Amino acid sequence: MGISRRNFCKTVAGSAASVAVLAMMPGNLMAKWSDKAFTANDLAAAIAAKYGSLPIEDSTAIEIKAPEIAENGAFVPVTVSSTIPGVTSISIFTPANFSPLVASFDVLPRMKPDVSLRIRMAKTANLVVIAQAGGKLYRVTREVKVTIGGCGG
Amino acid sequence: MKIKATVQNNVTSVKMLIPHSMETGRRKEKDGSVVPAHFITEVTATCGNDTVFHAELGPGVSKDPYLSFQFDGAKAGDVLKVSWVDNKGGSETGEAAITAM
């Protein structure tokens, strides 16, 4: 079969469209950066901005690994894991900071609900971790004592 | 950025270190001027056609963010791509081949 001009144009247009769709996908699949949740300056407002008004219950199925005493609040190592089935999102908050939401992770289908990072804490305060599963939020709270605050200027 | 990805028993562990100032917008210079906020807002990792990691960060994440996570279904030799964007439109993409543990 020869390539007619019409078919050639169709093919080119088709692949260009697929490329455009692929290039757009990450943006469409991923929620935009939750600016309202990250700029909220109290804990309840930050949780509400991130998760809406879903019911929250305390859970023992979320584990926070963090030092009891952090000597340097600029680098507090935190590991969060959960055994709650069907978790789709995990967020770390601390009322120590001017903006309590520190980071939020989408738990995608291939990903384990187990993440580590280093965070800033301005002073001794709780770490509050919220995990979403279905239409419910699960919360665990843990205090970290901070010797030298990490947000000084 | 540095990315290390190792696979064992079908679970790939990823560790990354991204050099970035992560300015909170609340720090002041000695002369009293405020250093403008400049921080990474999103980090995404893909393996093959799947997005395997997506995080939103705020200025509460430490300077030079360290992040680690685990995901299923990759094998040694697969390539993991990581990209980030910051609040000033900066971005970077890096990749690493997954190695057997």
Side-chain angles (χ1 to χ4, degrees):
Chain A
M1 189 183 100
I3 301 175
S4 73
R5 184 174 173 276
R6 177 172 299 230
N7 275 335
F8 176 74
C9 289
K10 265 191 193 164
T11 313
V12 169
S15 25
S18 326
V19 169
V21 165
L22 278 175
M24 275 158 53
M25 265 173 70
N28 288 346
L29 279 175
M30 298 307 158
K32 195 172 165 269
W33 189 65
S34 319
D35 56 343
K36 284 201 176 68
F38 278 102
T39 52
N41 54 18
D42 81 63
L43 179 64
I47 295 172
K50 177 66 192 165
Y51 292 110
S53 55
L54 296 175
I56 304 179
E57 65 179 62
D58 288 312
S59 170
T60 52
I62 303 168
E63 191 191 4
I64 301 176
K65 278 186 209 154
E68 263 179 52
I69 300 171
E71 284 181 11
N72 183 355
F75 294 95
V76 182
V78 177
T79 296
V80 175
S81 59
S82 153
T83 53
I84 299 165
V87 169
T88 51
S89 171
I90 293 177
S91 296
I92 301 170
F93 300 83
T94 175
N97 294 353
F98 186 76
S99 308
L101 178 55
V102 175
S104 184
F105 301 88
D106 292 341
V107 181
L108 300 166
R110 284 175 65 181
M111 192 183 143
K112 307 258 182 220
D114 186 335
V115 293
S116 303
L117 76 169
R118 292 190 302 222
I119 72 168
R120 290 180 168 128
M121 289 183 76
K123 58 188 178 200
T124 295
N126 282 332
L127 280 178
V128 178
V129 173
I130 302 271
Q132 180 181 7
K136 259 187 169 176
L137 302 178
Y138 299 87
R139 172 178 56 205
V140 67
T141 300
R142 212 187 94 217
E143 192 189 55
V144 175
K145 291 191 170 67
V146 175
T147 317
I148 305 168
C151 301
Chain B
M1 85 177 99
K2 283 184 195 162
I3 308 163
K4 194 177 176 195
T6 53
V7 62
Q8 188 175 40
N9 302 328
N10 200 36
V11 176
T12 302
S13 300
V14 181
K15 292 174 182 173
M16 61 178 110
L17 193 66
I18 307 172
H20 198 287
S21 64
M22 296 300 281
E23 288 292 351
T24 61
R26 298 181 59 74
R27 193 170 71 83
K28 285 182 184 159
E29 297 284 17
K30 284 201 176 99
D31 65 4
S33 61
V34 175
V35 180
H38 186 206
F39 55 90
I40 293 173
T41 53
E42 287 184 72
V43 180
T44 307
T46 58
C47 186
N49 294 321
D50 288 347
T51 299
V52 293
F53 178 79
H54 177 246
E56 294 180 84
L57 311 186
V61 174
S62 303
K63 183 183 176 184
D64 300 334
Y66 164 84
L67 295 166
S68 83
F69 67 96
Q70 302 183 334
F71 71 98
D72 287 333
K75 57 186 190 305
D78 288 354
V79 172
L80 183 81
K81 277 190 186 170
V82 177
S83 56
W84 58 260
V85 294
D86 70 24
N87 67 323
K88 287 186 171 178
S91 66
E92 188 192 3
T93 299
E95 58 179 52
I98 297 168
T99 54
M101 189 98 146

